[in-house]
Amino acid sequence: ALPISAAGHLRLTCHLASFFHLPSNCSFMMALSALFLGILVITGSSAQHTVTQEPSVTAAAGQTVKLSCTLGGGLTISGNAAVFYQQKSGTVPRYLTYFYTDSSKGKGTGVPDRYIASGSGNVGYLTINGLQADDEADYYCATWTGSQRIFGGGTQ
């Protein structure tokens, strides 16, 4: 079976820090993230808006896997969208696809047709058909409120 997982937001933060040549000490990044989170809570800036993903999914080669992305705090797929990213170990996240509605969706350059975004209400989905070994990665969902991009914790 192939694990399709995400190591969480901290891992993404540390990878992004190295990409932008920021301090690579993950403890430092965790403290910095906690500080920014505290500022958001104190100021009340969209603290109720959330993106939730299942922590891990396991499937065998050739199977179809459907990853969910649940928006909270009054956000909806048709109003805010679900955007999916793939991150393989040691690399920066790669944009895969987004979904607002059946008539408003898109994919990144070179993304295989096996990757399909969909959604309804406050839940978006990334379906991967014909799972391959190369699909083993962490998958992140994000949305935006017009002023803020919000990421889920990722799915491994």
Side-chain angles (χ1 to χ4, degrees), residues 3-19 23-27 29-30 33 55 86-93 135-140 151-156:
I4 306 291
S5 304
H9 178 71
L10 177 60
R11 184 166 150 191
L12 176 64
T13 301
C14 293
H15 283 300
L16 291 176
S18 64
F19 179 72
S24 60
N25 180 324
C26 287
S27 297
M29 294 306 295
M30 189 183 326
S33 295
Q86 177 191 64
Q87 186 176 26
K88 295 183 180 181
S89 183
T91 67
V92 297
D135 297 324
E136 186 170 352
D138 299 338
Y139 291 86
Y140 292 90
F151 282 86
T155 299
Q156 289 186 314

Side-chain angles (χ1 to χ4, degrees), residues 125-143:
Y125 300 98
L126 174 64
T127 301
I128 307 172
N129 293 309
L131 206 57
Q132 300 175 4
D134 190 48
D135 297 324
E136 186 170 352
D138 299 338
Y139 291 86
Y140 292 90
C141 177
T143 193

